[in-house]
């Protein structure tokens, strides 16, 4: 399978990328890892006339803590995240997700920025970002802007990014004492997109009362979704088995899955319930240690 | 539109003119005649097209040739000097890590990257490590054994240096 004809451009800086995108308008697409975009182009689901390669831009691949945030450069590959000592030690939610994302060769190329910018509810990172209440940093014709994650995902493959915006960085709250997160998904076979997945982030105070909570779901809605009702129920309380049961039920009720090759709607609602409960328990255990 | 690209393939410099849309696997097989890199699924699922790009395993059916400009590429043909076997090649031979051999170049190159990052993997780590490479013949057990043999061999080698 060969993609439709297009013209390739290599950008060596964010400014150059934005200028190229401005020149070519709607017909241009950025490519970072290309592991979401190129498969779509080969199947002719996407036929951009111009590809602007941003993967060679220097300085957009890093993982660092500054102040209260963990900053991840958009071009950081999923493999780089997988092997990062700080992530392994302090951000198990990422390690959970990355191990279940595609396979090692895909992760060698696919970037965190691309995984989010793609705006696909089947991708794993969006749910993590919602759960951790990430901030997206983008650069466009008017300079840099920050976009809260709740405003980022706007529709099926649609995000708050303007066509010429380059996602440059993702920021999530730094791990702290009493915080913990977890992610899991059910997949038909290793490396598959999620049949359903759930990300949970919690922070407890010294009395074990829930101070921060984020719960988000993968691939059971057209747009990556936050489980508002479940978060409201847990916030400000000590998390008990009874509350966990209730949130599991809420997740199965509020998600919006459709029946497809990965399973029926009823099956997906049922596994969302189970994964949600398991991930709250795991996040809780991690937050307590 | 044509682009001039220069890269190192199996140690030798190569310069070529390529179309924007030419896939790296086609460049390797058709322009360079290195047909050890196979095409299985053509959809980035099977790993038959796996090569090393700057030391990392990638699926060359999902990579534009033009993006490999400046890269250092290793295909199965260049893994060991002519007439010799890389420890992984030897191990696949010794442990019957292949039947038809279609998946083998990809399996071996993927395993090179795996062992570089994790010289002494557990069985489970090997299975996760080759999870993007499908084999329709062996049932994987002998592939796992091959990687284990090579890991041991390569560690002994590095210790004796
Ligand atoms: C076989 C296979 C299995 C996979 N399985 C999974 C899975 O289980 N879970 C999962 O989450 N993902 C999966 N993926 C997707 C993979 O993780 C992608 O690499 C990732 O989602 C996209 O990253 P990329 O860098 O390749 O993005 P690209 O493909 O380069 O880009 C994706 C989209 O985002 C835009 N974009 C990219 N970077 C930027 C940026 N910095 N600024 C603005 N726009 C940008 C592009 O224009 C494009 O529209 C799979 C891929 C394959 C091939
Ligand atoms: S041919 Fe490239 S992954 Fe199957
Ligand atoms: S040996 Fe035949 S596909 Fe692996």
């Amino acid at each position: 399978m060969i993609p439709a004809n297009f013209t390739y451009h290599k950008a060596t800086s964010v400014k150059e990328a934005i200028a190229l995108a401005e020149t070519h308008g709607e017909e241009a697409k950025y490519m970072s890892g290309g592991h979401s975009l190129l498969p779509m182009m080969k199947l002719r689901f996407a036929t951009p006339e111009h590809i602007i390669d941003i993967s060679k831009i220097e300085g957009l691949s890093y993982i660092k803590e500054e102040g209260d945030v963990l900053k991840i450069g958009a071009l950081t590959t999923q493999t780089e995240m997988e092997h990062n000592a700080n992530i392994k030690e302090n951000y198990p939610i990422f390690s959970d997700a990355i191990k279940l994302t595609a396979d090692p060769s895909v992760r060698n190329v696919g970037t965190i920025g691309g995984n989010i910018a793609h705006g696909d509810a089947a991708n794993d990172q969006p749910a993590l970002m919602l759960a951790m209440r990430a901030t997206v940093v983008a650069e466009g014709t008017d300079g840099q802007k920050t976009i809260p994650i709740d405003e980022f995902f706007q529709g099926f493959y649609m995000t708050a990014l303007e066509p010429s915006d380059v996602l440059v960085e993702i920021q999530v709250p730094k791990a702290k004492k009493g915080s913990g997160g977890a992610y899991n998904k059910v997949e038909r076979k290793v490396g598959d997109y999620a049949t359903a997945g759930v990300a949970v982030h919690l922070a407890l105070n010294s009395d074990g009362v829930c101070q921060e909570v984020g719960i988000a779901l993968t691939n059971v809605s057209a747009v990556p979704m936050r489980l508002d009702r479940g978060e409201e129920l847990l916030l400000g309380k000590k998390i008990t088995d009874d509350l966990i049961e209730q949130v599991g039920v809420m997740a199965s009720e509020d998600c919006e899955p459709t029946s497809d090759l990965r399973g029926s709607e009823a099956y997906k609602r049922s596994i969302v319930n189970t994964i949600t409960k398991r991930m709250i328990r795991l996040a809780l255990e991690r937050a307590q240690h | 539109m044509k682009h001039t690209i220069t890269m190192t393939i199996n140690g030798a410099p190569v310069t070529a003119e390529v179309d924007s849309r030419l896939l790296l696997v086609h460049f390797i097989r058709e322009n360079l005649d290195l047909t050890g890199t196979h095409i299985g699924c053509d959809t980035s699922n099977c790993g038959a097209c796996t090569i090393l790009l700057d030391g990392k395993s990638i699926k060359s059916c999902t990579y534009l040739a033009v993006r490999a400009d400046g890269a250092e590429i290793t295909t199965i043909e260049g893994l060991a000097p002519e007439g010799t076997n890389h420890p992984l090649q030897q191990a696949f031979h010794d442990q019957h890590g292949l039947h038809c051999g279609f998946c083998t170049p990809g399996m071996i190159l993927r395993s090179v990257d795996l062992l570089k990052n994790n010289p002494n993997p557990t069985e489970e780590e090997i299975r996760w490590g080759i999870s993007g490479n499908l084999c329709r013949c062996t049932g994987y057990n002998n592939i796992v054994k091959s990687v284990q043999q090579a890991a041991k061999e390569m560690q002994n080698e590095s210790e004796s240096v």
Side-chain angles (χ1 to χ4, degrees):
Chain A
M1 291 178 303
I2 297 165
N5 253 323
F6 61 88
T7 303
Y8 170 90
H9 310 265
K10 179 168 96 178
T12 51
S13 69
V14 175
K15 295 261 174 310
E16 190 186 354
I18 296 168
L20 281 164
E22 282 283 289
T23 308
H24 299 292
E26 295 277 296
E27 297 307 328
K29 270 271 175 204
Y30 291 132
M31 180 178 280
S32 45
H35 271 44
S36 288
L37 185 53
L38 190 51
M40 291 178 81
M41 289 166 64
K42 288 174 71 179
L43 294 167
R44 312 271 171 127
F45 291 151
T47 51
E49 286 170 20
H50 297 271
I51 283 294
I52 304 165
D53 184 358
I54 57 173
S55 69
K56 319 283 176 182
I57 298 175
E58 300 271 337
L60 286 186
S61 175
Y62 53 83
I63 300 169
K64 60 184 180 197
E65 286 178 337
E66 268 176 28
D68 289 338
V69 287
L70 175 76
K71 299 181 170 180
I72 308 175
L75 292 181
T76 309
T77 63
Q78 299 174 93
T79 296
E80 284 162 347
M81 293 183 66
E82 186 175 2
H83 296 315
N84 180 268
N86 186 19
I87 288 202
K88 274 199 224 172
E89 172 92 15
N90 300 311
Y91 299 86
I93 188 170
F94 279 120
S95 304
D96 288 349
I98 287 169
K99 188 179 176 193
L100 297 174
T101 299
D103 61 70
S105 297
V106 170
R107 298 197 293 264
N108 272 343
V109 185
T111 65
I112 175 102
N115 200 295
I116 295 164
H118 197 45
D120 184 353
N123 275 2
D124 295 304
Q125 291 298 327
L128 270 65
M129 295 302 140
L130 284 168
M132 288 187 277
R133 290 192 161 70
T135 302
V136 172
V137 183
E139 207 168 310
T141 40
D142 309 327
Q144 274 215 356
K145 56 186 160 191
T146 55
I147 309 167
I149 201 69
D150 281 296
E151 291 164 25
F152 189 77
F153 301 109
Q154 300 193 336
F156 192 57
Y157 293 120
M158 275 175 46
T159 69
L161 295 174
E162 300 292 334
S164 60
D165 285 351
V166 178
L167 193 167
V168 291
E169 186 177 276
I170 299 290
Q171 302 180 347
V172 299
K174 192 169 140 181
K176 54 183 186 237
K177 198 173 169 346
S179 76
Y183 182 77
N184 200 4
K185 73 185 197 191
V186 167
E187 48 186 7
R188 291 173 301 180
K189 62 169 190 61
V190 63
D192 192 18
Y193 288 95
T195 304
V198 182
V200 175
H201 166 83
L202 294 173
L204 313 175
N205 71 10
S206 52
D207 297 326
V209 174
C210 175
Q211 301 286 308
E212 285 171 25
V213 49
I215 306 172
L217 312 177
T218 299
N219 217 8
V220 285
S221 50
V223 184
M225 81 172 262
R226 176 184 297 291
L227 185 66
D228 290 310
R229 258 199 320 149
E231 294 181 355
E232 276 162 32
L233 186 69
L234 297 183
L235 192 65
K237 300 201 187 86
K238 276 196 176 173
I239 298 174
T240 60
D241 274 346
D242 180 48
L243 289 175
I244 295 173
E245 284 297 325
Q246 290 183 47
V247 177
V249 172
M250 286 173 175
S252 69
E253 287 172 356
D254 293 0
C255 66
E256 298 155 1
T258 47
S259 298
D260 59 18
L261 288 173
R262 291 193 171 82
S264 67
E265 184 194 327
Y267 169 69
K268 292 182 185 181
R269 286 191 191 277
S270 163
I271 58 175
V272 164
N273 181 339
T274 306
I275 313 169
T276 302
K277 289 188 291 199
R278 285 186 187 159
M279 289 309 102
I280 298 174
R281 289 206 177 91
L282 184 57
L284 196 57
E285 199 181 298
R286 287 171 174 169
Q288 286 161 345
H289 282 95
Chain B
M1 190 174 150
K2 294 273 187 195
H3 307 267
T4 305
I5 57 171
T6 304
M7 56 184 101
T8 310
I9 299 216
N10 299 331
V14 170
T15 299
E17 290 250 299
V18 297
D19 265 335
S20 293
R21 64 172 171 170
L22 182 69
L23 299 171
L24 184 55
V25 72
H26 292 142
F27 178 68
I28 291 171
R29 289 177 56 83
E30 288 157 28
N31 298 43
L32 305 176
D33 234 3
L34 294 170
T35 52
T37 304
H38 297 157
I39 301 176
C41 65
D42 204 2
T43 56
S44 54
N45 282 288
C46 75
C49 63
T50 305
I51 56 147
L52 296 176
L53 185 134
D54 294 330
K56 294 188 210 81
S57 66
I58 69 156
K59 294 179 170 180
S60 60
C61 71
T62 309
Y63 206 84
L64 298 173
V66 57
R67 299 181 80 196
D69 185 30
E72 197 168 305
I73 288 178
T74 305
T75 66
I76 193 68
E77 291 89 345
L79 188 59
E82 188 68 33
T84 64
N85 278 342
H86 182 278
L88 272 159
Q89 289 170 312
Q90 190 58 45
F92 272 69
H93 175 90
D94 294 346
Q95 300 292 339
H96 301 283
L98 62 145
H99 293 181
C100 78
F102 199 80
C103 69
T104 315
M107 280 290 178
I108 288 181
L109 291 165
R110 170 62 211 134
S111 302
V112 171
D113 187 358
L114 168 68
L115 293 180
K116 188 185 68 194
N117 285 305
N118 185 356
N120 190 17
T122 62
E123 179 183 337
E124 193 183 340
E125 286 166 344
I126 294 172
R127 289 184 185 273
W128 277 101
I130 59 169
S131 62
N133 294 69
L134 303 183
C135 176
R136 299 284 82 157
C137 305
T138 62
Y140 300 99
N141 285 346
N142 286 355
I143 294 178
V144 173
K145 283 186 203 155
S146 306
V147 178
Q148 285 169 327
Q149 174 183 321
K152 221 180 263 170
E153 189 69 29
M154 288 161 75
Q155 274 188 308
N156 289 344
E157 262 175 32
S158 64
E159 274 160 24
S160 63
V161 180

